[in-house]
Amino acid sequence: MKNRFSFQPRYFLFWLLFFGVGRAFFLGYEHALTAQLPMSTLLATFGYGLRLDASAAAYVSMLPFLLFVGASLLPRLPIGRMVGIYSAVIGALLAFLMVADLELYRAWGFRLDDTPLQYLNSPGEMAASAGSAPVLLLLALLAALLVGGRWLYKKVVGPVAPLPAWFGRGRAVLASLLYAALLVVPLRGGTQQIPVNQSDVYFSRIPFANHAALNAPWNLMSALVLRAEEKPLAPFMPDSTARRLVAGLYPAAVGRPVPADSTASILQEPRPNVLFIILESFTGKLVGSVGGEKGVTPTLDSLARTGVLFNNIYAAGDRSQKGLVSLLSGYPNQPTTSIIKFPRKTENLPHLCRTLMAAGYHSGYYYGGELAFANMKSYLQTAGYEHLTERADFAASQQNSKWGAHDGVLFDRMLQDLRTQPQPFFVTAFTLSSHEPFDVPMKTKFPGTSETDLFRNSVYYTDYTLGQFLRAARQQPWYAHTLLVLVADHGHPLPGHSPNQSPYKFHIPLLLAGGALRPESRGQVITTIGSQTDVAATLLQQLGLPAAPYVWSRNLLASHPTPFAFYTFNNGFGAVSPVGAVTFDNVSRHTWERDVNVTDAQVQLGQAMEQVSLEDFARR
């Protein structure tokens, strides 16, 4: 008989193996797609998938582990029978979910999530969708999984051994509690700062390989939790009215033709390199060239004098992951969630990397922190970047920030890599040193120890290291053929502690610079009010590439752009036009702040933008 105190580790191992068998079933069922994977990639789906498997196994094991604590105190508790019944019920449920996932993926192309629940109120449609499913085959696979699972349970777990007489109850309770406490590590995917999510198993540029690495039951529970956080918004107006209003700004978003408009080229070559640098928390309040404090960002302000500056741009949201999607996919933000949390949805978004690679560009992404943060890695992996550089790629001695490698280290790595980077390239870099806690490796520039002083110094540090990078880059051959895109991921309440909804918090810089600019274009200041989502279409128009998939993005360099910006904050939105700004609270259904010249039509346009964009989000 197996040792009683090895029961819990064996129980956890059983579920880990059970989920591995489930992945083998998935790969076998999708054999046509599996056959296209290199053997190394096929095996990697098991290796990378292990973290989500372990997380799911930990969730399933938690109740039996806690029951063991009770059984140590109450020897007569039928722990073996209780765990056996629980395991049989949970095992049958998980087996059913994994088998259902096989056919759902074949039909829909994504792993099991909460989508099937949307059909519960329309059983006829659900039955029609399942009509072509090979029911007998699926039942046979379910039976095989159940029988195989039972055999595996007997081999790996077996019966619960009695508590040895020499081992006291107190020690048994402590041992059981220790095992239960240790489950926290696999449950959150390790000891790292950020809990495990789908990004941690996205490892390949082949979508199917990433999908195979997912754990279907874990993916379902994650979707249910995310869905529970969503707060459906009651319509402000009839859908036809909302779509008519949105058509004035983003006609393609509502299926209307886009009016022809001319745009002047600011580039002196058709296919320059594109170095797209996203600046963490670079609020317009600290950038002198867009009306902020002087002296905090001398590098950006100097570039503004020789580049093309957009001084009326507003972030689409207030989180890094939201800014990332708005900039690279031209997609608006959601007030109570973020589309990046839903890999199935982000796979349907356009992406600058994908568009430029189709035009012959090579690509890379650089970030000093962990790309698993906020599910960013899954989004970037499906975009098709040829290589991703993140925290784990920097030596431990270089990770001198809470978040990872500071910006000076990041720029040094980029400078080294760009010497041999094939051209033309689309390289994206995301800074991090100006993120809380604002601890930067430099002598203090601005005196003071308040949070605002620390933030101001951190922004100065990033700007300073950017300047060092650009001075060295100008000496390299690739720089003369490169367009720089410099833009913030979002604004910041500091300095001044701007309210959460304030447009001052969302005002950010956008700057085009670099050796690829025409001499006559340098020094321009574009005053058109625009959004982060408009950067994608503006860039693609300059490169002469199609921007049609970016339906929520428009060309800010067009001859007759409509000056307007829409942004969202927690359960509300803001709308900015030349006459002023208005912010709206979705909970009270009333305006929060409203400049005196703002009309009811502007409020209604903001409502229409939110309503139609959320409908688009729900459909994806």
Side-chain angles (χ1 to χ4, degrees):
M1 182 176 288
K2 297 185 173 90
N3 186 292
R4 179 185 178 93
F5 296 103
S6 68
F7 183 90
Q8 285 157 285
R10 286 186 279 111
Y11 188 81
F12 176 80
L13 176 62
F14 160 74
W15 288 115
L16 208 56
L17 294 172
F18 184 74
F19 289 129
V21 171
R23 178 169 293 104
F25 271 52
F26 176 81
L27 290 167
Y29 196 82
E30 309 296 340
H31 56 86
L33 293 171
T34 301
Q36 299 175 28
L37 298 179
M39 181 56 68
S40 59
T41 303
L42 175 63
L43 295 175
T45 64
F46 289 90
Y48 280 92
L50 195 61
R51 290 182 71 184
L52 282 188
D53 290 347
S55 180
Y59 277 109
V60 174
S61 300
M62 185 59 74
L63 180 58
F65 277 36
L66 293 176
L67 285 174
F68 254 76
V69 177
S72 300
L73 291 170
L74 304 170
R76 295 186 178 181
L77 195 70
I79 181 66
R81 187 160 179 255
M82 293 173 69
V83 172
I85 292 174
Y86 167 84
S87 303
V89 172
I90 293 297
L93 174 62
L94 292 175
F96 173 79
L97 293 175
M98 288 191 285
V99 170
D101 172 64
L102 302 178
E103 182 60 20
L104 288 173
Y105 188 86
R106 186 196 65 79
W108 291 348
F110 56 84
R111 298 301 298 269
L112 179 67
D113 61 10
D114 64 333
T115 302
L117 301 181
Q118 300 171 19
Y119 292 90
L120 292 180
N121 59 352
S122 53
E125 186 176 347
M126 184 165 60
S129 300
S132 61
V135 177
L136 292 178
L137 173 60
L138 293 172
L139 288 175
L141 290 173
L142 176 60
L145 194 53
L146 289 172
V147 172
R150 179 176 173 78
W151 176 85
L152 190 64
Y153 187 89
K154 288 182 176 181
K155 288 292 183 182
V156 176
V157 183
V160 180
L163 183 68
W166 54 268
F167 202 90
R169 292 184 189 178
R171 293 168 66 189
V173 169
L174 288 176
S176 299
L177 281 174
L178 177 61
Y179 278 134
L182 288 174
L183 279 182
V184 173
V185 176
L187 188 143
R188 66 187 308 278
T191 59
Q192 74 286 346
Q193 186 178 5
I194 302 163
V196 69
N197 58 45
Q198 288 96 331
S199 283
D200 290 298
V201 304
Y202 271 50
F203 70 98
S204 173
R205 294 173 62 199
I206 305 171
F208 174 70
N210 296 327
H211 296 165
L214 289 171
N215 179 289
W218 191 99
N219 201 57
L220 171 62
M221 291 307 301
S222 174
L224 290 173
V225 170
L226 292 173
R227 189 71 66 184
E229 294 175 356
E230 288 186 48
K231 301 171 184 177
L233 185 68
F236 293 108
M237 62 194 75
D239 186 60
S240 58
T241 303
R243 294 172 69 84
R244 175 176 54 80
L245 293 174
V246 170
L249 284 173
Y250 298 102
V254 293
R256 304 282 181 86
V258 179
D261 199 351
S262 60
T263 183
S265 174
I266 62 172
L267 302 176
Q268 53 186 356
E269 55 186 283
R271 289 288 188 275
N273 304 314
V274 178
L275 183 52
F276 199 109
I277 300 178
I278 305 171
L279 301 164
E280 170 68 51
S281 301
F282 260 52
T283 171
K285 292 182 285 184
L286 292 180
V287 180
S289 52
V290 297
E293 294 181 18
K294 304 294 183 182
V296 183
T297 57
T299 299
L300 272 188
D301 295 338
S302 175
L303 286 171
R305 293 189 288 272
T306 58
V308 178
L309 176 69
F310 298 77
N311 66 356
N312 272 317
I313 303 300
Y314 291 83
D318 53 6
R319 292 290 182 271
S320 295
Q321 66 270 25
K322 294 188 174 189
L324 196 66
V325 175
S326 294
L327 289 168
L328 299 179
S329 293
Y331 197 73
N333 288 176
Q334 299 76 47
T336 59
T337 187
S338 175
I339 194 170
I340 205 169
K341 295 181 179 180
F342 304 87
R344 179 170 66 82
K345 292 179 181 287
T346 55
E347 288 177 6
N348 295 322
L349 292 178
H351 197 289
L352 285 176
C353 179
R354 200 178 301 124
T355 302
L356 268 65
M357 287 184 68
Y361 278 74
H362 301 274
S363 63
Y365 189 95
Y366 291 82
Y367 181 54
E370 295 179 24
L371 287 178
F373 175 71
N375 232 15
M376 290 194 293
K377 191 172 184 179
S378 67
Y379 170 67
L380 299 171
Q381 199 73 259
T382 56
Y385 280 100
E386 290 174 319
H387 66 85
L388 302 174
T389 301
E390 58 172 317
R391 181 174 188 165
D393 298 305
F394 295 91
S397 60
Q398 296 177 314
Q399 297 182 27
N400 50 355
S401 159
K402 171 187 175 183
W403 293 96
H406 268 302
D407 296 340
V409 175
L410 179 77
F411 285 132
D412 286 345
R413 170 65 67 86
M414 290 172 56
L415 196 63
Q416 174 185 333
D417 291 353
L418 288 174
R419 289 190 177 98
T420 56
Q421 172 70 50
Q423 300 181 49
F425 60 71
F426 173 68
V427 168
T428 309
F430 197 164
T431 68
L432 59 69
S433 295
S434 43
H435 195 289
E436 291 90 347
F438 313 129
D439 179 24
V440 292
M442 61 165 272
K443 184 179 178 180
T444 299
K445 170 69 175 177
F446 302 98
T449 57
S450 69
E451 189 179 23
T452 298
D453 297 325
L454 296 175
F455 176 50
R456 187 180 286 112
N457 275 289
S458 71
V459 170
Y460 178 85
Y461 165 77
T462 294
D463 182 85
Y464 173 75
T465 58
L466 172 65
Q468 288 184 310
F469 166 75
L470 292 177
R471 280 190 290 275
R474 291 188 183 102
Q475 307 306 313
Q476 297 193 15
W478 57 262
Y479 185 84
H481 307 282
T482 299
L483 171 67
L484 295 174
V485 181
L486 296 142
V487 61
D489 61 337
H490 54 76
H492 203 279
L494 300 175
H497 296 282
S498 299
N500 186 47
Q501 74 280 0
S502 170
Y504 296 106
K505 174 188 166 187
F506 290 83
H507 185 213
I508 59 171
L510 169 62
L511 177 64
L512 305 181
L517 284 181
R518 291 177 182 269
E520 61 270 25
S521 298
R522 300 181 183 276
Q524 286 188 56
V525 178
I526 309 299
T527 60
T528 302
I529 296 172
S531 166
Q532 261 181 338
T533 63
D534 300 326
V535 175
T538 303
L539 173 62
L540 292 172
Q541 289 286 347
Q542 288 298 313
L543 297 176
L545 295 174
Y550 300 80
V551 297
W552 291 101
S553 187
R554 60 207 173 101
N555 180 17
L556 294 173
L557 290 172
S559 301
H560 304 95
T562 302
F564 187 85
F566 170 82
Y567 63 83
T568 65
F569 50 88
N570 188 34
N571 226 344
F573 70 82
V576 185
S577 78
V579 300
V582 60
T583 57
F584 188 90
D585 176 37
N586 290 334
V587 178
S588 65
R589 310 281 285 192
H590 290 99
T591 55
W592 203 319
E593 295 173 344
R594 179 172 177 167
D595 290 340
V596 63
N597 292 323
V598 169
T599 63
D600 290 342
Q602 182 171 329
V603 177
Q604 193 177 34
L605 178 55
Q607 292 173 334
M609 281 289 297
E610 184 174 55
Q611 180 174 320
V612 176
S613 64
L614 285 177
E615 289 173 356
D616 183 279
F617 166 76
R619 285 194 303 268
R620 289 185 182 267

